[in-house]
Amino acid sequence: MYNSHNPYRPIETAVLEVNTETPTIKTLKLKPKEPLEFETGQFIELTVPGVGEAPFTPSSKPLIKDTIEVSVMRVGKVTERIHELKKGETVGLRGPFGTGYPMDDFKGREVLVVGGGCGFAPLRSLMYEFFEHSGEFKSLFFRGGCKTPKDFLYKKEIEGWSQRDDLDVRLTVDEGDGEWKGNVGVVTTILDGIPMNHAEGIAIVCGPPVMMKFAIKKLQELGFKDTNLYLSMEKNMSCGLGKCGHCRIGTYYACKDGPVFRYDKIKSFPNIWD
Amino acid sequence: MAAYLISRDGLFDLLTRVTDSYSVFVPVRRGEKRFFTKFEPSSSPEESSKEMENGRYVIGEVRTFEPLKIFYLRSRGIVADGFEDTVTRAEQKPYCIVGAKACDIKGFKVQDRVFRDDEYKDPFYIREREENLIISADCASVIDTCYCLALHVNPYPEESFDINLSEMSAGFVAESGSEKGKRLINENASLFQEAKAEHIAERDEQRKRIAGEVKKNIKANDIPDQDRLKGVIEKNFNAPIWKEEAETCVECGACNMICPTCHCFLMYDQMDAQRMARLRVWDSCMIKDFAQVAGGANPRDHLWMRLRNRFEKKFDYFPKIGDIYACTGCGRCISACPAKIDIRRILKRLVENV
Ligand code: SF4
Ligand code: SF4
Ligand code: FES
């Protein structure tokens, strides 16, 4: 819960590490001056002083309370400046904001996680939560896709996941290269034949809007119920407080009622994928 | 509620006294429009009564050009100063706003919901709401863009004021609407006398007459009552109305800026002598990049989608989440629009097309 006196004020934060993940994505390890606890799926606003703010969903373990990691794709003015940040610089953090994944609702269930591109960032944090409570879920599947093998976030780490016996991982790329031995095709091409009860299972989808749109369609065809589908909506988040009006979806604000939504709650709103 | 009578001179005295603790703003007429202007106490009583009578200060009449929200959410204000928790306030005294009208007061219902009564509190707005003083007034005239009654707002304030004034021949009938207002009347009791039955009768007569004029406006323009607006946005979601109406829009955003219920804002950071200031400025959902994400995707790429969104927010979103239509019938967006896009016409078309 966000309880600062002034909700627009960022907390002074030190940049501890900057790691290059892909040609367009860097991961920052940050240490806020005041502890900032988040639930997986919630987001924060990162301020570059004098430049502006941008929203990111932490990719680190919610359990770690003194530092926070975010993976930032270079797409605009603020993210460009974030990519220039060096270890030791000062930034600002606000948050956490919004509603994350309802972990309790997943207990005892079969869970499929479907990720695309930059959607891997929030999903990594989610996967840490699953691993942490490994015994509490019936089974766990991860299906991820990226444009090319170079675009895989946390590649080494995800490859490591395939060694786990509490997880079934499969990856795909839209376009392979000489070294890629896995599946080639969009993520929906690796959703068939997953050994789980589709009618009862949970599916969590996070990625670019088009990818989510087609993944949801595919999952519905496979028999998943709308009430068991979760997605993470990318909107133009700014205040994080349900006030600035920028992120409205139907009767909700993505920054407050989301970014994680159960599909049945938003499916009747027009044009949610645009 | 006890009603008092205060003369024009008496009110001038009262406002002069109030300037000790408040920055007082009173509507002044310029041409056909009225603007909130800082109240200047004059040195001699003769001069002061002249001010009131010359019609420099127009407390009755009709709504001002600017919406009341300018005193609560500055069009451009600092909301964070570096990493400090507090922000030094530029204006030292709180505002006393005189002559605010019922349509603007309804605007509070929307703004309060967003900035005060929501789970997340806006400390800047709340401070203004708590500290400012509202001396509202009944409308004593009507302009052709007024249609408050269609949105079930009477043309005289009924809540959210500290003192309300009804202008009449003998001065003003004054009623308190809060503890703050009551105190102000008690502390300045010599300026007030008890209102007589004839004053109340004159006030009620005027209220009836003004309401009648608004009704005439509504009838003349065939403006639907809010009872008929339920569901019209959903039903017209794919109607050609939006494209047709947005055709002349020049995307200036005036309709949002001028609206007492529009609350959206933009935050931007400024670096000044190595210190960051975070500013909040009013924003407009009619502007292209309003909902555009950093990656470039825009859910409302076309102007007509943004026009539809503006109506959706006011006539679908707010009724659904808060049981309130986020329009007060003030008519400001009609006079402000350079493209002559008329909310009355759009509402009429929406209702007719179901
Ligand atoms: S939409 Fe237009 S008429 Fe309605 S409150 Fe806003 S400015 Fe006034
Ligand atoms: S005031 Fe008129 S022209 Fe300007 S954005 Fe609004 S509708 Fe468009
Ligand atoms: S980000 Fe401001 S309302 Fe959601």
Side-chain angles (χ1 to χ4, degrees):
Chain A
M1 181 61 51
Y2 198 80
N3 57 10
S4 166
H5 172 66
N6 177 359
Y8 305 106
R9 171 197 73 128
I11 298 171
E12 189 173 341
T13 298
V15 178
L16 295 186
E17 274 173 40
V18 181
N19 292 310
T20 303
E21 302 277 359
T22 76
T24 54
I25 299 178
K26 286 189 180 181
T27 297
L28 276 69
K29 189 169 181 183
L30 304 166
K31 187 174 170 56
K33 264 201 170 160
E34 299 159 28
L36 191 152
E37 279 180 41
F38 69 95
E39 283 165 28
T40 186
Q42 285 189 304
F43 72 100
I44 53 99
E45 287 279 348
L46 175 61
T47 301
V48 182
V51 179
E53 265 192 333
F56 303 100
T57 308
S59 56
S60 51
K61 270 193 191 142
L63 270 179
I64 302 176
K65 303 208 190 307
D66 57 335
T67 60
I68 203 164
E69 282 175 46
V70 290
S71 296
V72 178
M73 179 141 92
R74 198 178 58 224
V75 286
K77 185 183 81 166
V78 181
T79 50
E80 205 142 296
R81 200 35 208 103
I82 293 174
H83 270 235
E84 292 165 8
L85 286 170
K86 304 253 151 19
K87 183 179 164 168
E89 282 195 71
T90 301
V91 293
L93 278 186
R94 288 193 305 128
F97 297 117
T99 309
Y101 292 103
M103 297 305 291
D104 286 342
D105 296 355
F106 303 156
K107 293 216 166 117
R109 312 282 291 266
E110 292 182 298
V111 182
L112 164 64
V113 179
V114 184
C118 51
F120 279 43
L123 292 181
R124 185 175 73 163
S125 163
L126 174 70
M127 295 309 284
Y128 290 148
E129 278 289 273
F130 281 127
F131 298 158
E132 198 67 44
H133 304 273
S134 176
E136 297 168 30
F137 307 92
K138 217 168 171 184
S139 56
L140 190 55
F141 302 87
F142 184 87
R143 296 292 179 267
C146 278
K147 268 211 180 77
T148 75
K150 272 203 300 298
D151 296 311
F152 266 111
L153 258 174
Y154 327 120
K155 190 149 177 251
K156 282 245 152 58
E157 195 174 344
I158 292 176
E159 279 165 3
W161 291 355
S162 54
Q163 312 300 317
R164 299 184 68 104
D165 47 19
D166 57 355
L167 177 71
D168 170 336
V169 186
R170 261 194 91 191
L171 304 175
T172 182
V173 292
D174 298 355
E175 255 170 73
D177 60 11
E179 281 161 49
W180 181 255
K181 293 190 193 66
N183 187 77
V184 176
V186 292
V187 78
T188 44
T189 61
I190 53 168
L191 297 180
D192 286 300
I194 298 173
M196 66 190 288
N197 179 348
H198 293 147
E200 293 304 321
I202 300 278
I204 296 162
V205 186
C206 185
V210 231
M211 171 263 172
M212 291 200 288
K213 178 179 175 175
F214 287 105
I216 291 284
K217 205 169 149 242
K218 175 77 186 179
L219 292 165
Q220 285 174 319
E221 284 163 18
L222 289 170
F224 282 90
K225 290 190 192 122
D226 291 347
T227 49
N228 287 335
L229 298 175
Y230 291 84
L231 46 160
S232 188
M233 299 304 287
E234 188 198 5
K235 292 285 150 193
N236 180 16
M237 260 89 111
S238 168
C239 70
L241 307 160
K243 307 210 180 312
C244 76
H246 287 258
C247 70
R248 189 173 62 81
I249 311 178
T251 51
Y252 298 121
Y253 281 121
C255 69
K256 233 183 114 196
D257 308 296
V260 176
F261 286 100
R262 216 171 72 187
Y263 183 58
D264 63 302
K265 303 253 184 198
I266 54 167
K267 66 174 182 183
S268 63
F269 301 137
N271 312 335
I272 56 169
W273 306 113
D274 294 344
Chain B
M1 219 191 304
Y4 302 88
L5 187 76
I6 184 167
S7 67
R8 289 188 167 75
D9 287 352
L11 182 65
F12 200 90
D13 275 355
L14 180 73
L15 298 184
T16 302
R17 290 181 198 179
V18 164
T19 52
D20 287 344
S21 4
Y22 293 91
S23 187
V24 181
F25 281 79
V26 184
V28 162
R29 177 137 46 126
R30 266 183 266 144
E32 284 304 297
K33 295 186 174 120
R34 294 136 199 96
F35 299 85
F36 282 116
T37 310
K38 194 149 183 186
F39 174 75
E40 307 283 357
S42 26
S43 36
S44 66
E46 298 80 57
E47 214 183 301
S48 69
S49 55
K50 250 195 283 160
E51 290 273 22
M52 280 294 179
E53 260 150 39
N54 281 349
R56 178 169 144 74
Y57 295 125
V58 285
I59 290 170
E61 292 210 351
V62 73
R63 63 146 179 95
T64 49
F65 174 80
E66 327 88 315
L68 190 56
K69 71 179 180 187
I70 56 166
F71 296 104
Y72 293 81
L73 299 149
R74 244 34 63 69
S75 57
R76 183 174 178 279
I78 293 183
V79 291
D81 183 4
F83 299 115
E84 305 297 320
D85 197 33
T86 47
V87 175
T88 335
R89 193 185 192 181
E91 188 76 33
Q92 285 312 309
K93 288 180 194 169
Y95 294 114
C96 164
I97 307 121
V98 186
K101 299 296 178 288
C103 52
D104 266 358
I105 294 213
K106 183 198 168 180
F108 280 137
K109 280 213 172 129
V110 176
Q111 305 288 358
D112 285 354
R113 208 194 144 86
V114 176
F115 294 104
R116 187 188 70 186
D117 305 334
D118 184 65
E119 160 190 10
Y120 297 117
K121 313 285 173 203
D122 182 292
F124 305 99
Y125 180 81
I126 291 174
R127 184 170 60 192
E128 303 292 349
R129 281 295 268 137
E130 282 170 358
E131 294 181 4
N132 292 348
L133 183 73
I134 300 178
I135 303 183
S136 59
D138 292 5
C139 287
S141 59
V142 169
I143 46 182
D144 64 355
T145 47
C146 295
Y147 64 101
C148 52
L149 277 166
L151 278 309
H152 298 189
V153 177
N154 282 317
Y156 45 87
E158 293 171 289
E159 57 187 330
S160 292
F161 57 79
D162 296 302
I163 294 178
N164 182 59
L165 302 171
S166 313
E167 193 162 18
M168 59 176 56
S169 47
F172 302 89
V173 168
E175 272 179 320
S176 66
S178 72
E179 280 308 313
K180 226 199 272 181
K182 227 182 256 167
R183 224 177 309 126
L184 192 66
I185 292 178
N186 289 340
E187 284 164 5
N188 297 280
S190 64
L191 300 175
F192 293 89
Q193 60 186 95
E194 220 170 285
K196 298 202 181 87
E198 68 201 68
H199 301 130
I200 304 292
E202 188 181 340
R203 178 196 69 184
D204 293 349
E205 195 46 49
Q206 169 160 287
R207 285 183 169 180
K208 231 166 76 198
R209 180 174 59 79
I210 294 295
E213 280 182 44
V214 177
K215 276 184 205 148
K216 244 190 267 160
N217 264 356
I218 293 171
K219 210 161 167 217
N221 292 291
D222 212 353
I223 306 165
D225 187 89
Q226 76 171 27
D227 289 341
R228 293 172 64 203
L229 296 177
K230 198 168 188 278
V232 293
I233 303 290
E234 262 175 67
K235 283 181 197 132
N236 283 284
F237 200 78
N238 295 311
I241 295 175
W242 309 111
K243 267 188 201 148
E244 288 161 15
E245 291 287 347
E247 192 124 355
T248 51
C249 175
V250 295
E251 208 177 334
C252 64
C255 48
N256 296 117
M257 301 297 139
I258 209 77
C259 177
T261 72
C262 279
H263 64 83
C264 294
F265 61 83
L266 181 84
M267 286 198 287
Y268 75 93
D269 291 358
Q270 262 183 356
M271 200 67 162
D272 171 26
Q274 290 310 299
R275 215 177 155 68
M276 181 200 74
R278 173 157 295 162
L279 290 130
R280 170 168 70 185
V281 293
W282 293 350
D283 202 1
S284 160
C285 60
M286 297 297 289
I287 307 294
K288 181 153 192 173
D289 63 5
F290 184 82
Q292 187 172 312
V293 297
N298 190 345
R300 296 191 287 276
D301 226 354
H302 296 282
L303 247 176
W304 62 267
M305 296 174 170
R306 301 196 284 281
L307 181 69
R308 177 177 68 189
N309 172 71
R310 186 177 139 232
F311 278 76
E312 190 190 336
K313 181 81 183 265
K314 291 182 182 303
F315 300 101
D316 190 70
Y317 170 80
F318 272 111
K320 279 183 182 154
I321 65 128
D323 200 20
I324 183 173
Y325 285 94
C327 174
T328 74
C330 73
R332 284 189 177 90
C333 56
I334 306 165
S335 1
C337 180
K340 301 207 164 21
I341 296 170
D342 190 329
I343 188 168
R344 299 169 297 185
R345 180 179 65 225
I346 297 180
L347 291 177
K348 176 171 176 253
R349 291 189 65 183
L350 289 173
V351 167
E352 281 170 358
N353 199 39
V354 294

